Amino acid sequence: LDSLLQEKIHKMKSTVGLRAKKVLKSNGLTFATLLGVIIGIILGVSLKASREEDWTDREAMYVGYIGKLFLNMLKSVIIPLIIPSLIAAIGGLDLSLSGRIGLRAIVYYMSTTVFAVILGIILVVTIRPGVGADTGDASGDQTTKRNVLTSDTLMDLLRNCFPPNIIQAALQQYQTTIIQPVVADNETMPAKELWKMGNNWTNSTNILGLVVFSIVTGVAIALSGEDGIPLLRFFESISIVMMKLTGWIITLAPVGVCFLIAGQILEMDDIAEEFRKLGWYFGTVLIGLSIHGLIVLPLLFTLVTKTMPFRFLANMGNAYVTAFGTASSSATLPVTIQTLEEKNGVDPRITRFVLPIGATINMDGTALYEAVAAIFIAQMSGINPSLGQIIAICITATAASIGAAGIPQAGLVTMVMVLDTVGLPSESVSIILSLDWLLDRFRTAINVLGDSIGAGIVNHLSQKELEDRKSVV
Ligand code: ASP
């Protein structure tokens, strides 16, 4: 009996060991990347603590150097991977199917974003982090002092969907500015509506414009029949090759994120002091993000797909960690696509269609944060938003998250619009500036999680149709 028991234990041990090995092997990169984050934090914090005076920008640059190289590599594949993949995915489907898939994705994006905003509002109104908070002196930051009206921001969003020059869209996007008139001492400042209009092309890729152009090109290919096939094959081929490149870059993630984070910590002022001032606000956003990302979205996944979400979520680990490390959903996009296809078996026709759109317009984390931050700032300024204002915040926070690019701290910029609805000046974002780099990483991870679950859900709902049309890509 004894030997039988021992044999059984031995067998059990070896299967546990085998399984552990398997998990480690298939998730090795995720563990390594996570380790990279932890080592990055330890490295950053201990370097910072190792001396009294601040680290200079140059020294922080040296520490973050390797991280920036990794980030550059990831960014370099965004355009050549995303555009051909999107065109090929849509061009290879027939139109009724792509219409249905697109519609499902949009319904998911809109409903989850609005839900995130409402959750954020409920939390910030009940926790009230801004009542009695102390921000010390909130010195303004140049970059956030943009004078615009809400309507300008909304119109820019649509304007950027239709760039006049597609090559320029890869480099720049449009941004309305209004020019403050010079008035004499005895004159009053005219209303913002009367200021002179300026225009401005900023140096950041207009991904939204590129995505819209690619969708329409894909539709045109699908409608061109035989004549469109060579172009379709061309884009398919680029996307296959770029995916290979992406795979190589992803293996560098552990080292990349480690140095990105260490460099960022060195650039920081006193972190503990910032937490003392903004701790409650930080906590409120974090609670909201956790509820949304760990409860609401997984629950939705389970309800729709009738499967447990744990494996699906765990398989995406690498994408979240990269999102945390880069603070950019666009830069993470290649990783998200690869992980969803390879580990979760999501059909490439779905991932390459819905993810590029999702990464640019679906940002649940950002939406939640915009609502919490705007009301927090209002609370600090002694303003109690009325119900009408709260509804307006709901709408503008949703629009602001759609309008935010998938780049670090983009949400901070589009928040000007949300603040405007409560009558707060754009400079008041400086109150939350000091901890934004960190919150940004958390909300970006939730943005990526939202996109991934969306792709999983759309994939499930479109299963039958996709099987009927076994196609290329
Ligand atoms: N960094 C975020 C992203 O890329 C956008 C933001 O909320 O600032 O998803």
Side-chain angles (χ1 to χ4, degrees):
L1 195 78
D2 213 30
S3 68
L4 214 71
L5 204 70
Q6 281 214 337
E7 201 180 312
K8 222 173 186 173
I9 290 176
H10 182 73
K11 223 178 181 173
M12 230 158 76
K13 264 191 188 159
S14 66
T15 44
V16 168
L18 222 69
R19 194 180 286 168
K21 244 190 214 157
K22 216 170 133 193
V23 168
L24 210 67
K25 201 169 162 211
S26 69
N27 293 307
L29 192 61
T30 307
F31 288 128
T33 314
L34 200 59
L35 203 67
V37 172
I38 295 167
I39 295 176
I41 294 173
I42 296 174
L43 183 68
V45 171
S46 43
L47 279 178
K48 204 165 168 57
S50 68
R51 70 179 201 210
E52 282 283 302
E53 68 272 28
D54 277 345
W55 288 73
T56 61
D57 281 354
R58 170 168 289 276
E59 286 163 333
M61 182 273 284
Y62 287 145
V63 174
Y65 183 68
I66 293 181
K68 286 278 162 30
L69 288 184
F70 165 69
L71 195 60
N72 282 357
M73 290 181 208
L74 264 186
K75 284 184 179 167
S76 71
V77 284
I78 299 176
I79 293 182
L81 172 72
I82 300 318
I83 294 179
S85 299
L86 187 54
I87 296 178
I90 297 180
L93 287 173
D94 68 45
L95 283 184
S96 69
L97 182 54
S98 47
R100 250 171 293 155
I101 293 177
L103 191 70
R104 281 173 194 141
I106 297 291
V107 169
Y108 168 86
Y109 294 156
M110 287 327 291
S111 47
T112 51
T113 303
V114 171
F115 193 92
V117 172
I118 294 173
L119 175 65
I121 292 178
I122 293 174
L123 285 174
V124 70
V125 169
T126 39
I127 299 178
R128 306 212 297 166
V131 180
D134 146 42
T135 59
D137 73 313
S139 49
D141 182 273
Q142 282 8 328
T143 55
T144 54
K145 281 190 185 154
R146 256 189 74 212
N147 262 320
V148 275
L149 303 177
T150 304
S151 56
D152 292 331
T153 317
L154 291 175
M155 285 169 90
D156 279 349
L157 185 60
L158 201 60
R159 211 175 261 134
N160 279 321
C161 288
F162 305 102
N165 181 328
I166 201 69
I167 308 291
Q168 182 196 28
L171 307 167
Q172 296 185 320
Q173 51 178 298
Y174 187 86
Q175 199 173 60
T176 299
T177 47
I178 49 177
I179 302 153
Q180 185 168 2
V182 187
V183 289
D185 283 348
N186 53 0
E187 283 179 275
T188 49
M189 178 68 74
K192 278 188 181 173
E193 283 81 356
L194 300 174
W195 293 9
K196 245 184 144 72
M197 303 284 307
N199 62 31
N200 192 12
W201 288 95
T202 58
N203 288 329
S204 63
T205 308
N206 176 7
I207 299 204
L208 200 56
L210 295 176
V211 163
V212 170
F213 191 81
S214 309
I215 293 175
V216 182
T217 308
V219 170
I221 289 181
L223 282 177
S224 301
E226 282 287 304
D227 290 337
I229 303 275
L231 202 55
L232 179 63
R233 296 276 176 268
F234 170 74
F235 285 121
E236 277 167 5
S237 165
I238 303 183
S239 76
I240 290 168
V241 175
M242 285 302 140
M243 213 52 203
K244 204 172 211 52
L245 220 87
T246 305
W248 297 337
I249 299 171
I250 293 174
T251 52
L252 304 175
V255 182
V257 293
C258 169
F259 288 106
L260 270 179
I261 289 177
Q264 171 97 63
I265 291 178
L266 285 192
E267 280 174 28
M268 281 299 304
D269 299 332
D270 190 348
I271 307 176
E273 174 64 16
E274 299 307 334
F275 267 110
R276 194 186 61 72
K277 285 194 239 156
L278 295 172
W280 279 105
Y281 155 71
F282 193 88
T284 310
V285 178
L286 225 51
I287 292 172
L289 292 178
S290 317
I291 296 179
H292 192 71
L294 303 178
I295 301 174
V296 177
L297 293 179
L299 211 63
L300 187 65
F301 179 86
T302 306
L303 282 179
V304 177
T305 64
K306 312 266 181 316
T307 44
M308 282 300 174
F310 309 115
R311 179 174 291 250
F312 184 93
L313 288 176
N315 281 343
M316 296 304 299
N318 210 16
Y320 317 140
V321 184
T322 310
F324 187 85
T326 59
S328 161
S329 9
S330 297
T332 313
L333 188 52
V335 187
T336 321
I337 294 182
Q338 210 227 24
T339 329
L340 267 173
E341 287 175 10
E342 291 196 353
K343 291 204 168 162
N344 277 330
V346 177
D347 194 305
R349 287 172 288 175
I350 298 288
T351 52
R352 295 170 192 210
F353 180 6
V354 304
L355 282 175
I357 306 172
T360 25
I361 66 168
N362 180 44
M363 297 194 184
D364 295 1
T366 303
L368 186 143
Y369 142 86
E370 301 254 0
V372 173
I375 298 181
F376 168 71
I377 295 174
Q379 287 172 345
M380 292 212 34
S381 323
I383 298 174
N384 209 354
S386 63
L387 186 64
Q389 276 174 324
I390 288 190
I391 294 173
I393 290 174
C394 227
I395 298 168
T396 45
T398 307
S401 75
I402 295 174
I407 55 172
Q409 302 199 320
L412 196 67
V413 181
T414 56
M415 197 154 63
V416 174
M417 175 164 76
V418 191
L419 290 175
D420 200 33
T421 58
V422 219
L424 287 164
S426 51
E427 293 88 71
S428 45
V429 288
S430 57
I431 293 175
I432 53 164
L433 210 62
S434 53
L435 274 184
D436 199 68
W437 66 275
L438 189 55
L439 265 188
D440 187 20
R441 291 166 190 273
F442 286 106
R443 63 182 188 254
T444 308
I446 298 299
N447 291 343
V448 168
L449 186 143
D451 294 338
S452 318
I453 291 198
I457 288 181
V458 174
N459 185 58
H460 176 84
L461 295 176
S462 313
Q463 239 357 278
K464 209 181 141 331
E465 292 138 327
L466 285 171
E467 261 161 35
D468 289 348
R469 296 175 177 78
K470 277 266 168 268
S471 168
V472 274
V473 185

